[in-house]
Amino acid sequence: MRWELSSRGVQPLAASCEELRERILELKKKRKALILAHNYQTLDIQEIADFVGDSLQLARKSAESEGYEMVVFAGVRFMAEMAAVLSPDVPVYIPDPGALCPLAAYLTGEKVAAKKEEYPDAPVVVYVNTTADAKSKTDYICTSGSAIEIVKSIGAERVLFGPDANLADYVREHTDVEIIDLDERGHCYVHDKFDVEMILELKKKYPDAIAIAHPECPIEVQHAADVVGSTGMMANFVAQSDAKVFLIATEMGMVEQLQKAHPDKKILPVYEGAVCRQMKKHTLEKILHVLEEMPEENLVTVPEEHVPHIRQVLEEMNKVKGQGPAKAVSART
Ligand code: SF4
């Protein structure tokens, strides 16, 4: 440890980003750690990760990867819980244990069970953005990229769906199934900030731009966009499109990632204030701390009694391919 004299007295010398990176990569190798980072992480974290993706891709990665002895999951807690269920033989750590998704907090297992009693014939589909408690009571799990396909594949006339009411609207529009909200108030505070005017204003300035919105955005915003899809779909769409300007309606980490991957294209945020404070709780320092100390409080576990059911529904979800973007503008792509 090196020290410096500051106005607060003698303090440990803050490591530079480069030093932190090197120490993380060295320890990662020594500990045989798999680092998974969600698309909404800052670029410095994305750069040291073994894999960056959306929740479906990360869930698959934790199930498929071999030869590692610990997982460090830079995402919100429900994502790390899925890795803990799918990789039961290795410990899963979260760099900041307080990284909780407020959308997930809308649904408890008790609420799911109560709604099931009200509609006994309707299967339950929960979005991955839920706690292990809510997942333990569901019949199916979906991501934003697989929601349409999963709901269609069930073959039921009516489905209970939640907690995201905007994603429920998206599924309602793209299937013939009656979708009943598990909680009509459920929303992601980051995606709920987008409005139609933001897209229209940018379109005036960039008339040839393609606007892509996440299905957690309000339905009017989805209508105003040219393409609607998960972050995984956004990455594929931008990579395959010949268009030069894209307006992105999702969290800023994804906008930064796309711009870095496509320096020849202009990737513009629809709203710069779309920042998930929970995702951004993770830092390189916290990742290093977890690799160094493997602290008990950063270990993510799921109650033993919930594990078999959650594993089964997650494995079913992982078999579904997931759809391409809904409402793509093929003429310009
Ligand atoms: S962006 Fe929204 S849904 Fe995603 S983790 Fe943050 S609050 Fe939850």
Side-chain angles (χ1 to χ4, degrees):
M1 176 91 64
R2 289 187 287 158
W3 301 87
E4 66 179 340
L5 185 62
S6 77
S7 54
R8 287 178 295 155
V10 179
Q11 300 284 326
L13 184 63
S16 72
C17 195
E18 200 40 51
E19 275 174 323
L20 273 172
R21 253 178 80 94
E22 276 171 26
R23 280 156 67 185
I24 288 171
L25 295 177
E26 203 178 291
L27 258 182
K28 183 166 97 71
K29 207 166 158 196
K30 193 169 150 201
R31 296 264 194 233
K32 295 192 179 153
L34 177 75
I35 303 183
L36 300 175
H38 189 267
N39 286 323
Y40 296 163
Q41 294 303 308
T42 48
L43 280 185
D44 56 350
I45 292 179
Q46 295 188 21
E47 281 164 7
I48 52 98
D50 293 290
F51 194 78
V52 180
D54 63 20
S55 42
L56 176 63
Q57 293 165 327
L58 295 179
R60 283 181 176 154
K61 218 65 201 173
S62 64
E64 292 162 3
S65 303
E66 285 172 3
Y68 59 92
E69 289 174 6
M70 73 184 282
V71 174
V72 178
F73 207 117
V76 280
R77 179 171 283 267
F78 75 81
M79 297 176 178
E81 285 176 347
M82 294 199 294
V85 168
L86 293 171
S87 317
D89 300 330
V90 290
V92 176
Y93 291 89
I94 189 162
D96 187 316
L100 304 171
C101 168
L103 170 60
Y106 278 96
L107 221 50
T108 59
E110 211 178 310
K111 223 183 220 179
V112 174
K115 206 79 176 177
K116 250 176 154 174
E117 261 185 42
E118 214 182 311
Y119 296 92
D121 299 330
V124 179
V125 181
V126 299
Y127 188 24
V128 282
N129 298 38
T130 43
T131 58
D133 180 39
K135 284 188 180 85
S136 73
K137 298 283 185 297
T138 193
D139 301 310
Y140 300 89
I141 294 178
C142 71
T143 61
S144 57
S146 64
I148 293 174
E149 197 176 338
I150 284 180
V151 168
K152 279 183 178 169
S153 71
I154 297 169
E157 285 178 10
R158 164 196 273 191
V159 157
L160 299 172
F161 189 94
D164 190 276
N166 292 331
L167 183 65
D169 283 341
Y170 170 73
V171 177
R172 210 169 266 127
E173 262 192 15
H174 294 281
T175 66
D176 297 327
V177 181
E178 183 190 354
I179 306 293
I180 297 168
D181 288 301
L182 284 164
D183 188 330
E184 285 171 8
R185 302 161 309 153
H187 70 278
C188 158
Y189 75 96
V190 179
H191 289 91
D192 223 47
K193 284 177 181 159
F194 292 100
D195 68 42
V196 174
E197 278 310 306
M198 292 172 180
I199 293 183
L200 297 183
E201 275 306 307
L202 280 166
K203 282 268 188 169
K204 274 188 211 157
K205 205 164 163 201
Y206 302 98
D208 291 332
I210 294 188
I212 314 180
H214 193 280
E216 286 173 21
C217 294
I219 195 75
E220 316 82 62
V221 174
Q222 297 180 32
H223 291 163
D226 301 300
V227 181
V228 182
S230 67
T231 51
M233 291 168 178
M234 288 180 187
N236 290 339
F237 189 88
V238 172
Q240 287 162 15
S241 170
D242 291 332
K244 290 288 170 225
V245 186
F246 297 87
L247 312 174
I248 306 295
T250 192
E251 213 270 352
M252 284 298 290
M254 187 66 199
V255 179
E256 287 161 11
Q257 181 195 126
L258 288 172
Q259 187 60 83
K260 188 171 177 231
H262 303 284
D264 54 324
K265 298 179 179 180
K266 206 182 206 13
I267 313 288
L268 297 167
V270 169
Y271 174 49
E272 283 182 7
V275 174
C276 177
R277 293 189 295 276
Q278 284 69 25
M279 285 279 189
K280 301 298 199 256
K281 283 188 172 180
H282 304 308
T283 59
L284 288 181
E285 284 85 353
K286 289 176 188 174
I287 291 175
L288 180 63
H289 177 66
V290 155
L291 286 166
E292 276 172 343
E293 308 291 334
M294 297 200 273
E296 196 68 27
E297 63 270 25
N298 295 62
L299 189 62
V300 177
T301 55
V302 172
E304 203 58 43
E305 66 275 20
H306 293 340
V307 172
H309 179 73
I310 298 179
R311 183 176 305 134
Q312 188 204 329
V313 279
L314 281 175
E315 282 170 358
E316 283 304 312
M317 176 187 85
N318 277 346
K319 287 183 195 158
V320 173
K321 203 168 119 271
Q323 294 205 322
K327 208 180 75 164
V329 279
S330 53
R332 286 186 287 165
T333 59

